[in-house]
Amino acid sequence: MKKYSKVFKTFKTCAFAVGFMISNAWAAEAPSIGELHPPVVAAVGQQKIVVYFLKNNLKNKIKDVHVADAEIFYSSINSDKATLNYVWKIEGEQITSVFFYEWKSPDRSGKTMYVLTKSKLSNSEFDGVTYSTLELPLIKDGDRLSVSFFPGDSSDSILQNCREGRELATGKNAVCAYKDAGSIKKYLTAQDK
């Protein structure tokens, strides 16, 4: 009996050591996809979707080809069939806010999701950060809800590349007026006529 106990103990120790080495090998090789921002639930009426913001960890490893910082996907909560649907890319190092705005004006009525990104900007003219806002309408079609990006639509230029930092040529400080959800919602409300 002691003989089997010793063998089992040795086997258990070896299995632990092998498991430890495998976990260290996996940890050394970072996964190619990470999370840029926690998932967000978007809803219109009873329909709900979960929106994912997946970071591309290969961005710094791939040369001579443009790789977006992250990409947006969504899946339905109400559906029996699980699908992951692609929305659009994110060109920003960090997501500082995800928020919704319900448009009242007849030509734009409906709910829209906004993604506010922040990126470092440092060159011979400017040192600081830029903020940009991505507009993603929620579309309800019967009992289906989706989030979409329309590449042909022109983005509001005021909400793109809003700089905060130092203008190196003049020495002046630049302050971005649209770097949080509150200030952007206030601006959208003023446009919503």
Side-chain angles (χ1 to χ4, degrees), residues 15 23 101 136 148-149 177:
S23 69
Y101 182 80
L136 304 162
S148 296
F149 178 77

Side-chain angles (χ1 to χ4, degrees), residues 125 131 177-178:
E125 298 172 6
Y131 293 90
Y178 305 106

Side-chain angles (χ1 to χ4, degrees), residues 11-187:
F11 176 74
K12 203 162 96 174
T13 304
C14 287
F16 177 79
V18 169
F20 183 75
M21 287 187 294
I22 289 172
S23 69
N24 278 349
W26 282 341
E29 192 61 41
S32 59
I33 295 175
E35 185 180 81
L36 188 62
H37 187 277
V40 171
V41 175
V44 174
Q46 297 299 313
Q47 301 304 315
K48 294 180 182 177
I49 56 175
V50 180
V51 184
Y52 303 95
F53 307 91
L54 303 180
K55 181 180 179 183
N56 190 338
N57 292 330
L58 295 175
K59 183 172 176 65
N60 297 327
K61 294 181 181 181
I62 297 174
K63 305 295 180 203
D64 302 326
V65 175
H66 175 72
V67 177
D69 290 295
E71 293 178 303
I72 303 171
F73 295 85
Y74 75 91
S75 62
S76 176
I77 292 177
N78 307 72
S79 176
D80 297 334
K81 186 179 174 185
T83 59
L84 192 62
N85 305 283
Y86 177 74
V87 180
W88 194 243
K89 59 188 174 180
I90 293 177
E91 301 291 355
E93 296 168 357
Q94 166 184 2
I95 294 176
T96 61
S97 184
V98 177
F99 58 94
F100 298 90
Y101 182 80
E102 185 97 32
W103 287 91
K104 311 280 187 289
S105 56
D107 57 332
R108 287 191 79 173
S109 66
K111 196 171 187 180
T112 300
M113 182 173 77
Y114 289 88
V115 180
L116 177 62
T117 62
K118 176 183 178 181
S119 298
K120 290 178 191 167
L121 178 62
S122 186
N123 56 37
S124 60
E125 298 172 6
F126 186 82
D127 187 38
V129 295
T130 63
Y131 293 90
S132 289
T133 307
L134 186 61
E135 183 179 340
L136 304 162
L138 297 177
I139 299 168
K140 190 174 177 190
D141 183 15
D143 62 350
R144 252 186 99 235
L145 182 64
S146 63
V147 59
S148 296
F149 178 77
F150 301 106
D153 288 357
S154 58
S155 301
D156 193 327
S157 60
I158 288 179
L159 301 177
Q160 305 307 313
N161 300 314
C162 186
R163 294 179 173 193
E164 179 147 307
R166 192 160 182 80
E167 301 282 351
L168 299 179
T170 63
K172 291 183 180 177
N173 288 330
V175 178
C176 175
Y178 305 106
K179 60 184 177 185
D180 58 62
S183 60
I184 295 169
K185 282 183 178 182
K186 193 173 179 181
Y187 171 77

